[in-house]
PDB file of all heavy atoms in Angstrom:
ATOM      1  N   ALA A 199     -13.929 -88.352   6.928  1.00 97.00           N
ATOM      2  CA  ALA A 199     -14.459 -87.088   6.432  1.00 97.00           C
ATOM      3  C   ALA A 199     -15.186 -86.282   7.499  1.00 97.00           C
ATOM      4  O   ALA A 199     -15.078 -85.051   7.542  1.00 97.00           O
ATOM      5  CB  ALA A 199     -15.386 -87.343   5.250  1.00 97.00           C
ATOM      6  N   VAL A 200     -15.926 -86.977   8.364  1.00 96.00           N
ATOM      7  CA  VAL A 200     -16.773 -86.284   9.341  1.00 96.00           C
ATOM      8  C   VAL A 200     -16.080 -86.106  10.687  1.00 96.00           C
ATOM      9  O   VAL A 200     -16.140 -85.029  11.299  1.00 96.00           O
ATOM     10  CB  VAL A 200     -18.107 -87.043   9.524  1.00 96.00           C
ATOM     11  CG1 VAL A 200     -18.949 -86.398  10.609  1.00 96.00           C
ATOM     12  CG2 VAL A 200     -18.868 -87.094   8.208  1.00 96.00           C
ATOM     13  N   ASP A 201     -15.407 -87.157  11.153  1.00 95.00           N
ATOM     14  CA  ASP A 201     -14.804 -87.119  12.486  1.00 95.00           C
ATOM     15  C   ASP A 201     -13.296 -86.889  12.469  1.00 95.00           C
ATOM     16  O   ASP A 201     -12.692 -86.641  13.520  1.00 95.00           O
ATOM     17  CB  ASP A 201     -15.086 -88.431  13.229  1.00 95.00           C
ATOM     18  CG  ASP A 201     -16.584 -88.690  13.375  1.00 95.00           C
ATOM     19  OD1 ASP A 201     -17.315 -87.705  13.577  1.00 95.00           O
ATOM     20  OD2 ASP A 201     -17.003 -89.858  13.277  1.00 95.00           O
ATOM     21  N   GLY A 202     -12.669 -87.009  11.290  1.00 96.00           N
ATOM     22  CA  GLY A 202     -11.231 -86.774  11.192  1.00 96.00           C
ATOM     23  C   GLY A 202     -10.382 -87.821  11.863  1.00 96.00           C
ATOM     24  O   GLY A 202      -9.292 -87.535  12.378  1.00 96.00           O
ATOM     25  N   GLY A 203     -10.858 -89.072  11.851  1.00 96.00           N
ATOM     26  CA  GLY A 203     -10.073 -90.110  12.487  1.00 96.00           C
ATOM     27  C   GLY A 203     -10.540 -91.501  12.129  1.00 96.00           C
ATOM     28  O   GLY A 203     -11.494 -91.686  11.364  1.00 96.00           O
ATOM     29  N   VAL A 204      -9.831 -92.506  12.685  1.00 97.00           N
ATOM     30  CA  VAL A 204     -10.128 -93.896  12.398  1.00 97.00           C
ATOM     31  C   VAL A 204      -9.631 -94.751  13.558  1.00 97.00           C
ATOM     32  O   VAL A 204      -8.770 -94.314  14.339  1.00 97.00           O
ATOM     33  CB  VAL A 204      -9.462 -94.332  11.074  1.00 97.00           C
ATOM     34  CG1 VAL A 204      -7.939 -94.436  11.231  1.00 97.00           C
ATOM     35  CG2 VAL A 204     -10.032 -95.639  10.539  1.00 97.00           C
ATOM     36  N   GLU A 205     -10.166 -95.958  13.657  1.00 96.00           N
ATOM     37  CA  GLU A 205      -9.702 -96.891  14.691  1.00 96.00           C
ATOM     38  C   GLU A 205      -8.454 -97.602  14.216  1.00 96.00           C
ATOM     39  O   GLU A 205      -8.417 -98.172  13.122  1.00 96.00           O
ATOM     40  CB  GLU A 205     -10.801 -97.899  15.012  1.00 96.00           C
ATOM     41  CG  GLU A 205     -10.444 -98.839  16.152  1.00 96.00           C
ATOM     42  CD  GLU A 205     -11.558 -99.822  16.475  1.00 96.00           C
ATOM     43  OE1 GLU A 205     -12.647 -99.351  16.872  1.00 96.00           O
ATOM     44  OE2 GLU A 205     -11.344-101.036  16.315  1.00 96.00           O
ATOM     45  N   ALA A 206      -7.413 -97.600  15.043  1.00 96.00           N
ATOM     46  CA  ALA A 206      -6.169 -98.296  14.729  1.00 96.00           C
ATOM     47  C   ALA A 206      -6.291 -99.775  15.073  1.00 96.00           C
ATOM     48  O   ALA A 206      -7.283-100.222  15.652  1.00 96.00           O
ATOM     49  CB  ALA A 206      -5.012 -97.663  15.485  1.00 96.00           C
ATOM     50  N   THR A 207      -5.257-100.532  14.744  1.00 95.00           N
ATOM     51  CA  THR A 207      -5.288-101.986  14.947  1.00 95.00           C
ATOM     52  C   THR A 207      -5.362-102.376  16.414  1.00 95.00           C
ATOM     53  O   THR A 207      -5.805-103.487  16.736  1.00 95.00           O
ATOM     54  CB  THR A 207      -4.050-102.633  14.313  1.00 95.00           C
ATOM     55  OG1 THR A 207      -2.869-101.951  14.781  1.00 95.00           O
ATOM     56  CG2 THR A 207      -4.102-102.542  12.797  1.00 95.00           C
ATOM     57  N   ASP A 208      -4.917-101.497  17.319  1.00 95.00           N
ATOM     58  CA  ASP A 208      -4.973-101.819  18.744  1.00 95.00           C
ATOM     59  C   ASP A 208      -6.270-101.346  19.398  1.00 95.00           C
ATOM     60  O   ASP A 208      -6.429-101.441  20.615  1.00 95.00           O
ATOM     61  CB  ASP A 208      -3.767-101.218  19.478  1.00 95.00           C
ATOM     62  CG  ASP A 208      -3.792 -99.700  19.503  1.00 95.00           C
ATOM     63  OD1 ASP A 208      -4.627 -99.100  18.774  1.00 95.00           O
ATOM     64  OD2 ASP A 208      -2.979 -99.110  20.225  1.00 95.00           O
ATOM     65  N   GLY A 209      -7.202-100.832  18.580  1.00 95.00           N
ATOM     66  CA  GLY A 209      -8.480-100.379  19.107  1.00 95.00           C
ATOM     67  C   GLY A 209      -8.512 -98.920  19.495  1.00 95.00           C
ATOM     68  O   GLY A 209      -9.584 -98.387  19.822  1.00 95.00           O
ATOM     69  N   SER A 210      -7.364 -98.250  19.473  1.00 96.00           N
ATOM     70  CA  SER A 210      -7.325 -96.832  19.830  1.00 96.00           C
ATOM     71  C   SER A 210      -7.848 -95.986  18.675  1.00 96.00           C
ATOM     72  O   SER A 210      -7.859 -96.415  17.512  1.00 96.00           O
ATOM     73  CB  SER A 210      -5.899 -96.404  20.171  1.00 96.00           C
ATOM     74  OG  SER A 210      -5.043 -96.537  19.042  1.00 96.00           O
ATOM     75  N   ARG A 211      -8.282 -94.778  18.995  1.00 96.00           N
ATOM     76  CA  ARG A 211      -8.775 -93.846  17.986  1.00 96.00           C
ATOM     77  C   ARG A 211      -7.660 -92.869  17.642  1.00 96.00           C
ATOM     78  O   ARG A 211      -7.104 -92.212  18.530  1.00 96.00           O
ATOM     79  CB  ARG A 211      -9.982 -93.077  18.524  1.00 96.00           C
ATOM     80  CG  ARG A 211     -10.660 -92.158  17.513  1.00 96.00           C
ATOM     81  CD  ARG A 211     -11.527 -92.944  16.580  1.00 96.00           C
ATOM     82  NE  ARG A 211     -12.193 -92.056  15.612  1.00 96.00           N
ATOM     83  CZ  ARG A 211     -12.938 -92.498  14.608  1.00 96.00           C
ATOM     84  NH1 ARG A 211     -13.116 -93.795  14.432  1.00 96.00           N
ATOM     85  NH2 ARG A 211     -13.504 -91.650  13.783  1.00 96.00           N
ATOM     86  N   ILE A 212      -7.300 -92.780  16.368  1.00 96.00           N
ATOM     87  CA  ILE A 212      -6.227 -91.885  15.954  1.00 96.00           C
ATOM     88  C   ILE A 212      -6.790 -90.801  15.045  1.00 96.00           C
ATOM     89  O   ILE A 212      -7.745 -91.016  14.294  1.00 96.00           O
ATOM     90  CB  ILE A 212      -5.103 -92.645  15.220  1.00 96.00           C
ATOM     91  CG1 ILE A 212      -5.650 -93.425  14.024  1.00 96.00           C
ATOM     92  CG2 ILE A 212      -4.356 -93.564  16.178  1.00 96.00           C
ATOM     93  CD1 ILE A 212      -4.583 -94.057  13.156  1.00 96.00           C
ATOM     94  N   ALA A 213      -6.196 -89.623  15.121  1.00 96.00           N
ATOM     95  CA  ALA A 213      -6.617 -88.502  14.284  1.00 96.00           C
ATOM     96  C   ALA A 213      -5.926 -88.579  12.932  1.00 96.00           C
ATOM     97  O   ALA A 213      -4.710 -88.789  12.865  1.00 96.00           O
ATOM     98  CB  ALA A 213      -6.273 -87.189  14.968  1.00 96.00           C
ATOM     99  N   VAL A 214      -6.687 -88.443  11.862  1.00 96.00           N
ATOM    100  CA  VAL A 214      -6.138 -88.418  10.503  1.00 96.00           C
ATOM    101  C   VAL A 214      -6.859 -87.308   9.742  1.00 96.00           C
ATOM    102  O   VAL A 214      -7.993 -87.484   9.292  1.00 96.00           O
ATOM    103  CB  VAL A 214      -6.330 -89.767   9.775  1.00 96.00           C
ATOM    104  CG1 VAL A 214      -5.709 -89.696   8.377  1.00 96.00           C
ATOM    105  CG2 VAL A 214      -5.711 -90.913  10.568  1.00 96.00           C
TER     106      VAL A 214
END
Side-chain angles (χ1 to χ4, degrees):
V200 176
D201 301 323
V204 71
E205 185 179 297
T207 51
D208 67 349
S210 63
R211 185 78 179 175
I212 56 173
V214 181

